[in-house]
Amino acid sequence: MEKTCIVLVGPTASGKTALAIEIAQQFNTAIISADSRQCFKELNIGVAKPNDLQLNAVPHHFINSHSIVGNVSAADFERFALNAANNIFNNSDVAVVCGGTGLYIKAFTDGLDEIASTDITIKNEITAAYEQQGIAWLQKKVKETDPLFWEKGETSNPHRLLRALEVFMSTGISIIAQQKKIKKHRPFNIIKVGIEIDRQVLYDKINSRVDVMQADGLEEEARLLFPFKHLNALQTVGYRELFNFFEGKNNREKAFELIKQNSRHYAKRQLTWFKKDEEITWLEQSEILTYVENKLQ
């Protein structure tokens, strides 16, 4: 059999984790997580990390592999995941990649463009300014400095905004203009499959998941992480809203309502990203394992 990577995608709370484990068990293989937050060992409840039973069911890569004090980029994930896949293929013909971070999936399957090197002094200066003045300042600065990114990039993601500003101020060229979108060859077959789920069902699952997170102690976890709220790893749904609560900007009930709302918005953005990929076959969860088995025959 040709070495094959099954890439399972879908929005948050769509059931990826359980299905990926089922697929991995069927083919006696391992899972590479393509989630930009579950790799951080300090984050658990708020990122819906697989529980110990799930992690022990099959080997997982890129979960609990990094610390929040260090930055992890899509390029870092590309290197990590390709190395993990190579190791998995030493013992199995199949590997499973599972996650909802679209840029990480793209990095693994298609590769990333080589962006011109940047000035570390500039990076440190704009990071310090952002930490002092906040995202409103950062958005205004990017809009003025790099209108091309402002038009086409992720304007609500501080990490992407910082990177865009760093690249432009170092090179004088928009990061968008440096993205050639040339697909890299991978030495294995790739099957992309997405979980199709009714939008209202998904939103109900998201709301229920947040209720479970609240009962499981998300507020307590966020309080322990509050001293690190300035780190990039904590600029994410589930923690930002509670940090605002701790700072007196809203109450507890409002914080959890915002987590639900922002999680639904995030799921919508994930679907928008993935639906643009014509290589993804969209199926209901119950159909996917059979589909994969047939593809691998």
Side-chain angles (χ1 to χ4, degrees):
M1 180 191 295
E2 183 181 5
K3 301 295 185 183
T4 300
C5 189
I6 301 160
V7 178
L8 177 64
V9 305
T12 186
S14 60
K16 295 186 299 297
T17 297
L19 180 57
I21 290 171
E22 185 180 1
I23 294 171
Q25 288 176 325
Q26 180 68 19
F27 296 102
N28 192 28
T29 189
I31 295 170
I32 302 168
S33 168
D35 186 293
S36 63
R37 292 296 182 262
Q38 291 182 0
C39 63
F40 296 116
K41 57 190 175 184
E42 297 91 345
L43 310 186
N44 291 289
I45 299 170
V47 296
K49 188 177 290 179
N51 59 39
D52 290 342
L53 188 63
Q54 291 172 317
L55 290 174
N56 291 330
V58 298
H60 284 73
H61 300 266
F62 207 67
I63 288 184
N64 296 327
S65 53
H66 294 74
S67 172
I68 56 173
V69 298
N71 285 322
V72 180
S73 68
D76 294 327
F77 174 76
E78 179 184 5
R79 289 188 291 270
F80 185 106
L82 288 172
N83 182 64
N86 185 59
N87 291 334
I88 292 169
F89 287 142
N90 286 331
N91 300 304
S92 176
D93 290 328
V94 176
V96 178
V97 173
C98 170
T101 303
L103 187 60
Y104 280 24
I105 296 291
K106 179 185 182 298
F108 178 76
T109 61
D110 300 350
L112 296 171
D113 294 309
E114 296 294 332
I115 305 299
S117 59
T118 57
D119 187 325
I120 187 64
T121 302
I122 289 174
K123 179 178 181 179
N124 291 339
E125 286 176 354
I126 62 175
T127 299
Y130 160 63
E131 290 175 355
Q132 288 182 341
Q133 302 181 60
I135 192 167
W137 169 85
L138 181 58
Q139 290 171 323
K140 183 174 184 289
K141 189 72 173 176
V142 171
K143 187 175 183 179
E144 294 171 349
T145 306
D146 187 353
L148 181 60
F149 179 87
W150 187 256
E151 178 187 353
K152 298 186 176 182
E154 293 183 57
T155 58
S156 61
N157 185 320
H159 180 67
R160 303 275 180 263
L161 289 165
L162 285 167
R163 177 62 173 156
L165 192 57
E166 170 197 344
V167 168
F168 194 94
M169 291 181 68
S170 296
T171 68
I173 304 171
S174 174
I175 193 171
I176 298 293
Q178 298 187 48
Q179 294 170 340
K180 301 180 182 65
K181 298 179 172 60
I182 299 173
K183 187 173 182 178
K184 294 180 182 177
H185 170 73
R186 298 305 189 203
F188 46 81
N189 186 35
I190 295 173
I191 298 172
K192 295 182 184 178
V193 60
I195 298 177
E196 188 72 72
I197 184 170
D198 176 79
R199 188 67 61 94
Q200 189 55 53
V201 171
L202 176 63
Y203 288 172
D204 289 344
K205 286 169 70 75
I206 289 171
N207 293 340
S208 296
R209 172 186 275 184
V210 174
D211 288 338
V212 171
M213 287 178 173
Q214 183 173 8
D216 285 348
L218 177 57
E219 181 180 337
E220 290 75 12
E221 178 175 281
R223 286 192 184 279
L224 292 174
L225 294 166
F226 186 59
F228 307 98
K229 66 184 179 67
H230 62 286
L231 297 177
N232 180 61
L234 274 301
Q235 309 304 311
T236 188
V237 176
Y239 298 103
R240 282 193 311 245
E241 299 84 357
L242 285 166
F243 295 158
N244 286 336
F245 161 50
F246 301 156
E247 293 173 340
K249 297 175 182 176
N250 57 39
N251 58 39
R252 179 181 292 104
E253 182 180 1
K254 181 64 174 178
F256 279 99
E257 280 303 313
L258 285 172
I259 293 173
K260 292 178 181 179
Q261 177 182 308
N262 292 335
S263 295
R264 295 193 299 268
H265 290 167
Y266 176 56
K268 187 176 181 181
R269 292 196 300 272
Q270 287 176 299
L271 285 167
T272 298
W273 175 291
F274 287 128
K275 290 290 185 177
K276 292 178 182 177
D277 188 341
E278 296 179 353
E279 295 179 354
I280 297 174
T281 298
W282 292 91
L283 297 167
E284 291 186 9
Q285 183 170 338
S286 60
E287 302 172 319
I288 290 177
L289 180 56
T290 300
Y291 170 80
V292 169
E293 289 174 329
N294 291 337
K295 293 285 287 186
L296 290 174
Q297 285 182 354

